[in-house]
Coordinates of all heavy atoms in Angstrom, one line a residue:
P115 N 14.0 0.9 3.6 CA 14.6 1.1 2.3 C 14.0 0.2 1.3 O 13.5 -0.9 1.6 CB 16.1 0.8 2.5 CG 16.1 -0.2 3.6 CD 15.0 0.2 4.5
F116 N 14.0 0.7 0.0 CA 13.3 0.0 -1.1 C 13.9 -1.4 -1.2 O 13.2 -2.4 -1.6 CB 13.5 0.7 -2.4 CG 12.7 2.0 -2.4 CD1 13.1 3.0 -3.2 CD2 11.6 2.2 -1.7 CE1 12.4 4.2 -3.3 CE2 10.9 3.4 -1.7 CZ 11.3 4.4 -2.5
S117 N 15.2 -1.6 -0.9 CA 15.8 -3.0 -1.1 C 15.1 -4.0 -0.2 O 15.2 -5.2 -0.4 CB 17.3 -2.9 -0.8 OG 17.6 -2.4 0.5
A118 N 14.5 -3.5 0.9 CA 13.9 -4.5 1.9 C 12.4 -4.7 1.6 O 11.8 -5.6 2.1 CB 14.0 -3.9 3.3
G119 N 11.9 -4.0 0.6 CA 10.4 -4.1 0.3 C 10.0 -5.5 0.0 O 8.9 -6.0 0.4
N120 N 10.8 -6.2 -0.8 CA 10.4 -7.6 -1.2 C 10.4 -8.6 -0.1 O 9.9 -9.6 -0.2 CB 11.3 -8.0 -2.4 CG 10.7 -9.1 -3.2 OD1 9.5 -9.1 -3.4 ND2 11.5 -10.1 -3.6
Y121 N 11.1 -8.2 1.0 CA 11.3 -9.1 2.1 C 10.3 -8.8 3.3 O 10.1 -9.6 4.2 CB 12.7 -9.1 2.6 CG 13.7 -9.5 1.5 CD1 14.4 -8.6 0.8 CD2 13.8 -10.9 1.2 CE1 15.3 -9.0 -0.2 CE2 14.6 -11.3 0.1 CZ 15.4 -10.3 -0.5 OH 16.2 -10.7 -1.5
F122 N 9.7 -7.6 3.2 CA 8.7 -7.3 4.2 C 7.4 -7.9 3.7 O 6.8 -7.5 2.7 CB 8.5 -5.8 4.4 CG 7.7 -5.4 5.5 CD1 8.3 -5.2 6.8 CD2 6.3 -5.3 5.4 CE1 7.5 -4.8 7.9 CE2 5.5 -5.0 6.5 CZ 6.1 -4.7 7.8
T123 N 6.9 -8.9 4.5 CA 5.7 -9.7 4.0 C 4.5 -9.5 4.9 O 4.6 -9.8 6.1 CB 6.2 -11.2 4.0 OG1 7.4 -11.4 3.2 CG2 5.1 -12.1 3.4
K124 N 3.4 -9.1 4.3 CA 2.2 -8.9 5.0 C 1.4 -10.2 5.0 O 1.2 -10.8 3.9 CB 1.4 -7.8 4.5 CG 2.1 -6.4 4.7 CD 1.2 -5.3 4.1 CE 1.9 -4.0 4.2 NZ 1.1 -3.0 3.6
I125 N 0.8 -10.6 6.1 CA -0.1 -11.7 6.2 C -1.5 -11.2 6.2 O -2.4 -11.8 5.5 CB 0.2 -12.6 7.4 CG1 1.6 -13.1 7.4 CG2 -0.8 -13.7 7.6 CD1 2.1 -13.8 8.7
A126 N -1.8 -10.2 6.9 CA -3.1 -9.5 7.0 C -2.9 -8.0 7.2 O -2.0 -7.6 7.9 CB -4.0 -10.1 8.1
C127 N -3.8 -7.2 6.6 CA -3.6 -5.8 6.7 C -4.9 -5.0 6.4 O -5.6 -5.4 5.5 CB -2.5 -5.3 5.7 SG -2.2 -3.5 5.8
F128 N -5.1 -4.0 7.2 CA -6.3 -3.1 7.0 C -6.2 -2.5 5.6 O -7.2 -2.1 5.0 CB -6.4 -2.1 8.1 CG -5.2 -1.1 8.1 CD1 -5.2 0.0 7.4 CD2 -4.1 -1.4 8.9 CE1 -4.1 0.9 7.4 CE2 -3.0 -0.6 9.0 CZ -3.0 0.6 8.2
C129 N -5.0 -2.4 5.1 CA -4.8 -1.7 3.8 C -5.3 -2.5 2.6 O -5.4 -2.0 1.5 CB -3.3 -1.4 3.6 SG -2.3 -2.8 3.5
F130 N -5.7 -3.8 2.8 CA -6.2 -4.6 1.7 C -7.6 -4.3 1.4 O -8.1 -4.7 0.4 CB -6.1 -6.1 2.1 CG -4.7 -6.6 2.3 CD1 -4.4 -7.8 3.0 CD2 -3.6 -6.0 1.7 CE1 -3.1 -8.3 3.1 CE2 -2.3 -6.5 1.8 CZ -2.1 -7.6 2.6
E131 N -8.3 -3.5 2.3 CA -9.7 -3.2 2.1 C -10.0 -1.8 2.4 O -9.3 -1.2 3.2 CB -10.6 -4.1 3.0 CG -10.5 -5.6 2.8 CD -11.2 -6.4 3.8 OE1 -11.8 -5.8 4.8 OE2 -11.3 -7.6 3.7
M132 N -11.1 -1.3 1.8 CA -11.6 0.1 2.2 C -12.0 0.1 3.6 O -12.6 -0.9 4.1 CB -12.7 0.5 1.3 CG -13.3 1.8 1.6 SD -14.8 2.2 0.7 CE -14.4 1.8 -1.0
Q133 N -11.8 1.2 4.3 CA -12.2 1.3 5.7 C -13.3 2.4 5.7 O -13.2 3.4 5.1 CB -11.1 1.7 6.6 CG -9.9 0.8 6.6 CD -10.2 -0.6 7.1 OE1 -10.9 -0.7 8.1 NE2 -9.8 -1.6 6.4
V134 N -14.4 2.1 6.5 CA -15.5 3.1 6.6 C -15.7 3.4 8.1 O -15.9 2.5 8.9 CB -16.8 2.5 6.0 CG1 -17.9 3.5 6.2 CG2 -16.6 2.2 4.5
L135 N -15.6 4.7 8.5 CA -15.7 5.1 9.8 C -17.0 5.9 10.0 O -17.2 6.9 9.2 CB -14.5 5.8 10.3 CG -13.4 5.0 11.0 CD1 -12.8 4.1 10.0 CD2 -12.3 5.9 11.6
Q136 N -17.7 5.6 11.0 CA -18.9 6.4 11.3 C -18.5 7.7 12.0 O -17.4 7.8 12.5 CB -19.8 5.6 12.3 CG -20.3 4.3 11.8 CD -21.1 4.4 10.5 OE1 -22.0 5.3 10.5 NE2 -20.9 3.6 9.5
P137 N -19.4 8.7 12.1 CA -19.1 9.9 12.8 C -18.6 9.7 14.2 O -19.3 8.9 14.9 CB -20.4 10.7 12.8 CG -21.2 10.2 11.6 CD -20.8 8.7 11.5
G138 N -17.5 10.2 14.6 CA -17.0 10.0 16.0 C -16.4 8.7 16.2 O -15.9 8.4 17.4
E139 N -16.3 7.8 15.3 CA -15.8 6.4 15.5 C -14.3 6.4 15.5 O -13.6 7.1 14.7 CB -16.3 5.5 14.4 CG -15.8 4.0 14.6 CD -16.4 3.1 13.6 OE1 -16.9 3.5 12.6 OE2 -16.3 1.9 13.8
R140 N -13.7 5.7 16.5 CA -12.3 5.5 16.6 C -12.0 4.0 16.5 O -12.7 3.2 17.2 CB -11.8 6.0 17.9 CG -10.3 5.9 18.1 CD -9.8 6.5 19.5 NE -10.3 7.8 19.7 CZ -9.6 8.9 19.4 NH1 -8.5 8.8 18.8 NH2 -10.1 10.1 19.7
V141 N -11.1 3.6 15.7 CA -10.8 2.1 15.5 C -9.3 1.9 15.5 O -8.5 2.8 15.2 CB -11.4 1.6 14.2 CG1 -12.9 1.6 14.2 CG2 -10.8 2.2 13.0
Q142 N -8.9 0.7 15.9 CA -7.5 0.2 15.8 C -7.5 -0.8 14.8 O -8.3 -1.8 14.8 CB -7.0 -0.3 17.2 CG -6.8 0.8 18.1 CD -6.0 0.4 19.3 OE1 -5.6 -0.8 19.5 NE2 -5.6 1.4 20.1
M143 N -6.6 -0.6 13.8 CA -6.6 -1.5 12.6 C -5.2 -2.3 12.6 O -4.2 -1.7 12.7 CB -6.7 -0.7 11.3 CG -8.0 0.1 11.3 SD -8.1 1.3 9.9 CE -6.8 2.4 10.3
P144 N -5.3 -3.6 12.5 CA -4.1 -4.4 12.6 C -3.4 -4.6 11.3 O -4.0 -4.6 10.2 CB -4.6 -5.7 13.2 CG -6.0 -5.9 12.6 CD -6.5 -4.4 12.6
V145 N -2.1 -4.9 11.4 CA -1.3 -5.4 10.3 C -0.4 -6.5 10.8 O 0.3 -6.3 11.9 CB -0.5 -4.2 9.6 CG1 0.5 -3.5 10.5 CG2 0.3 -4.8 8.4
T146 N -0.5 -7.6 10.2 CA 0.3 -8.8 10.7 C 1.4 -9.0 9.6 O 1.0 -9.1 8.4 CB -0.6 -10.1 10.8 OG1 -1.7 -9.7 11.7 CG2 0.2 -11.2 11.4
F147 N 2.6 -9.2 10.0 CA 3.7 -9.2 9.0 C 4.9 -10.1 9.5 O 4.9 -10.4 10.7 CB 4.2 -7.8 8.7 CG 4.7 -7.1 10.0 CD1 6.1 -7.2 10.3 CD2 3.9 -6.5 10.9 CE1 6.6 -6.6 11.4 CE2 4.4 -5.9 12.0 CZ 5.7 -6.0 12.3
Y148 N 5.8 -10.3 8.7 CA 7.1 -10.8 9.1 C 8.2 -10.3 8.0 O 7.8 -9.9 6.9 CB 7.2 -12.3 9.2 CG 6.9 -13.1 8.0 CD1 8.0 -13.5 7.1 CD2 5.7 -13.5 7.6 CE1 7.8 -14.2 6.0 CE2 5.4 -14.3 6.4 CZ 6.5 -14.6 5.6 OH 6.3 -15.3 4.5
V149 N 9.4 -10.4 8.4 CA 10.5 -10.1 7.5 C 11.1 -11.4 7.1 O 11.5 -12.2 7.9 CB 11.6 -9.2 8.2 CG1 12.8 -8.9 7.2 CG2 11.0 -7.9 8.7
D150 N 11.0 -11.6 5.8 CA 11.5 -12.9 5.2 C 12.9 -13.2 5.5 O 13.8 -12.3 5.3 CB 11.3 -12.9 3.7 CG 11.4 -14.3 3.0 OD1 12.4 -15.0 3.4 OD2 10.6 -14.6 2.2
P151 N 13.3 -14.3 6.1 CA 14.7 -14.7 6.4 C 15.6 -14.6 5.2 O 16.8 -14.4 5.4 CB 14.6 -16.1 7.0 CG 13.2 -16.2 7.5 CD 12.4 -15.4 6.5
E152 N 15.1 -14.6 4.0 CA 16.0 -14.5 2.8 C 16.6 -13.2 2.7 O 17.6 -13.0 1.9 CB 15.2 -14.9 1.6 CG 14.9 -16.4 1.5 CD 14.2 -16.7 0.2 OE1 14.2 -15.9 -0.8 OE2 13.6 -17.8 0.1
I153 N 16.2 -12.2 3.5 CA 16.8 -10.9 3.5 C 18.3 -10.9 3.8 O 19.1 -10.1 3.3 CB 16.0 -9.9 4.4 CG1 16.4 -8.4 4.1 CG2 16.3 -10.2 5.9 CD1 15.6 -7.4 4.8
V154 N 18.7 -11.9 4.7 CA 20.1 -11.9 5.1 C 21.0 -12.4 3.9 O 22.2 -12.2 4.0 CB 20.3 -12.8 6.3 CG1 19.5 -12.3 7.5 CG2 19.9 -14.3 6.0
D155 N 20.4 -12.9 2.8 CA 21.2 -13.4 1.7 C 21.2 -12.4 0.6 O 22.0 -12.6 -0.4 CB 20.7 -14.7 1.2 CG 20.8 -15.8 2.2 OD1 21.8 -15.8 3.0 OD2 19.9 -16.7 2.3
D156 N 20.5 -11.3 0.7 CA 20.4 -10.3 -0.4 C 21.6 -9.3 -0.3 O 21.8 -8.8 0.8 CB 19.1 -9.5 -0.3 CG 18.9 -8.5 -1.4 OD1 19.6 -7.5 -1.4 OD2 18.1 -8.8 -2.3
R157 N 22.3 -9.1 -1.3 CA 23.5 -8.3 -1.2 C 23.3 -6.9 -0.8 O 24.2 -6.2 -0.3 CB 24.3 -8.4 -2.5 CG 23.6 -7.8 -3.7 CD 24.5 -8.1 -5.0 NE 23.8 -7.7 -6.2 CZ 23.9 -6.6 -6.8 NH1 24.7 -5.7 -6.3 NH2 23.2 -6.3 -7.9
E158 N 22.1 -6.3 -1.0 CA 21.8 -4.9 -0.6 C 21.0 -4.9 0.7 O 21.3 -4.2 1.6 CB 21.1 -4.2 -1.7 CG 22.0 -3.8 -2.9 CD 21.2 -3.0 -3.9 OE1 20.3 -2.2 -3.5 OE2 21.5 -3.2 -5.1
A159 N 19.9 -5.7 0.7 CA 18.9 -5.6 1.8 C 19.5 -6.1 3.1 O 19.0 -5.7 4.1 CB 17.7 -6.4 1.4
K160 N 20.5 -7.0 3.0 CA 21.0 -7.5 4.3 C 21.6 -6.5 5.2 O 21.8 -6.7 6.4 CB 22.1 -8.6 4.0 CG 23.3 -8.2 3.4 CD 24.2 -9.4 3.1 CE 25.5 -9.0 2.4 NZ 26.3 -10.2 2.1
Y161 N 21.9 -5.3 4.7 CA 22.5 -4.2 5.5 C 21.4 -3.3 6.1 O 21.7 -2.4 6.8 CB 23.4 -3.3 4.6 CG 24.6 -4.1 4.1 CD1 24.7 -4.4 2.8 CD2 25.5 -4.6 5.0 CE1 25.8 -5.2 2.3 CE2 26.6 -5.3 4.5 CZ 26.7 -5.6 3.2 OH 27.8 -6.4 2.7
A162 N 20.1 -3.6 5.8 CA 19.0 -2.9 6.5 C 18.9 -3.3 7.9 O 18.6 -4.5 8.2 CB 17.7 -3.1 5.7
H163 N 19.0 -2.4 8.8 CA 18.8 -2.7 10.2 C 17.5 -2.2 10.8 O 17.1 -2.5 11.8 CB 20.0 -2.1 11.1 CG 21.3 -2.7 10.7 ND1 21.7 -4.0 10.9 CD2 22.4 -2.1 10.0 CE1 22.9 -4.2 10.4 NE2 23.3 -3.1 9.9
T164 N 16.9 -1.3 10.0 CA 15.6 -0.7 10.3 C 14.8 -0.6 9.0 O 15.3 -0.2 8.0 CB 15.8 0.7 10.8 OG1 16.6 0.7 12.0 CG2 14.4 1.3 11.2
I165 N 13.5 -1.1 9.1 CA 12.6 -1.0 8.0 C 11.5 -0.1 8.4 O 11.0 -0.2 9.6 CB 12.0 -2.4 7.6 CG1 13.2 -3.3 7.1 CG2 10.9 -2.3 6.6 CD1 12.7 -4.7 6.8
T166 N 11.1 0.8 7.6 CA 10.0 1.7 7.9 C 8.8 1.4 7.0 O 8.9 1.3 5.8 CB 10.4 3.2 7.7 OG1 11.5 3.5 8.5 CG2 9.2 4.1 8.0
L167 N 7.7 1.1 7.7 CA 6.4 0.8 7.0 C 5.6 2.1 7.1 O 5.2 2.5 8.2 CB 5.7 -0.4 7.7 CG 4.3 -0.7 7.2 CD1 4.3 -1.1 5.7 CD2 3.6 -1.8 8.0
S168 N 5.2 2.7 5.9 CA 4.5 3.9 5.9 C 3.1 3.7 5.2 O 3.0 3.0 4.2 CB 5.2 5.0 5.1 OG 6.5 5.2 5.7
Y169 N 2.1 4.3 5.8 CA 0.8 4.3 5.2 C 0.3 5.7 5.0 O 0.6 6.6 5.8 CB -0.2 3.6 6.2 CG -0.1 2.1 6.3 CD1 0.6 1.6 7.3 CD2 -0.6 1.3 5.3 CE1 0.8 0.2 7.4 CE2 -0.4 -0.1 5.4 CZ 0.2 -0.6 6.4 OH 0.4 -2.0 6.5
T170 N -0.4 5.9 3.9 CA -1.1 7.2 3.7 C -2.6 6.9 3.4 O -2.8 6.0 2.6 CB -0.5 7.9 2.5 OG1 0.9 8.2 2.7 CG2 -1.2 9.3 2.2
F171 N -3.5 7.5 4.2 CA -4.9 7.3 4.0 C -5.4 8.4 3.0 O -5.1 9.5 3.1 CB -5.7 7.3 5.3 CG -6.2 6.0 5.7 CD1 -5.6 5.3 6.7 CD2 -7.3 5.4 5.0 CE1 -6.1 4.0 7.1 CE2 -7.7 4.2 5.3 CZ -7.1 3.5 6.4
Y172 N -6.3 7.9 2.1 CA -7.0 8.8 1.1 C -8.5 8.6 1.3 O -8.9 7.5 1.5 CB -6.6 8.4 -0.3 CG -5.1 8.4 -0.6 CD1 -4.3 7.4 -0.3 CD2 -4.6 9.6 -1.2 CE1 -2.9 7.4 -0.6 CE2 -3.2 9.7 -1.4 CZ -2.4 8.6 -1.2 OH -1.1 8.7 -1.4
E173 N -9.2 9.7 1.2 CA -10.7 9.6 1.3 C -11.1 9.0 -0.1 O -10.6 9.4 -1.1 CB -11.3 10.9 1.5 CG -12.8 10.8 1.7 CD -13.5 12.1 2.2 OE1 -12.8 13.1 2.4 OE2 -14.7 12.1 2.3
T174 N -12.0 8.0 0.0 CA -12.5 7.4 -1.2 C -14.0 7.5 -1.2 O -14.7 7.8 -0.2 CB -12.1 5.9 -1.3 OG1 -12.5 5.3 -0.1 CG2 -10.6 5.7 -1.4

Side-chain angles (χ1 to χ4, degrees):
F116 293 154
S117 60
N120 201 39
Y121 300 102
F122 190 92
T123 307
K124 293 181 184 178
I125 300 170
C127 182
F128 63 89
C129 60
F130 295 159
E131 299 174 353
M132 178 188 310
Q133 303 297 317
V134 178
L135 271 63
Q136 301 298 315
E139 183 177 14
R140 183 181 306 271
V141 296
Q142 288 195 352
M143 303 173 294
V145 57
T146 308
F147 63 92
Y148 65 89
V149 177
D150 192 318
E152 291 183 13
I153 194 171
V154 298
D155 298 324
D156 185 285
R157 62 186 173 94
E158 290 181 35
K160 68 182 176 183
Y161 297 111
H163 300 291
T164 301
I165 295 175
T166 301
L167 175 62
S168 298
Y169 288 99
T170 301
F171 250 107
Y172 300 87
E173 185 169 359
T174 53

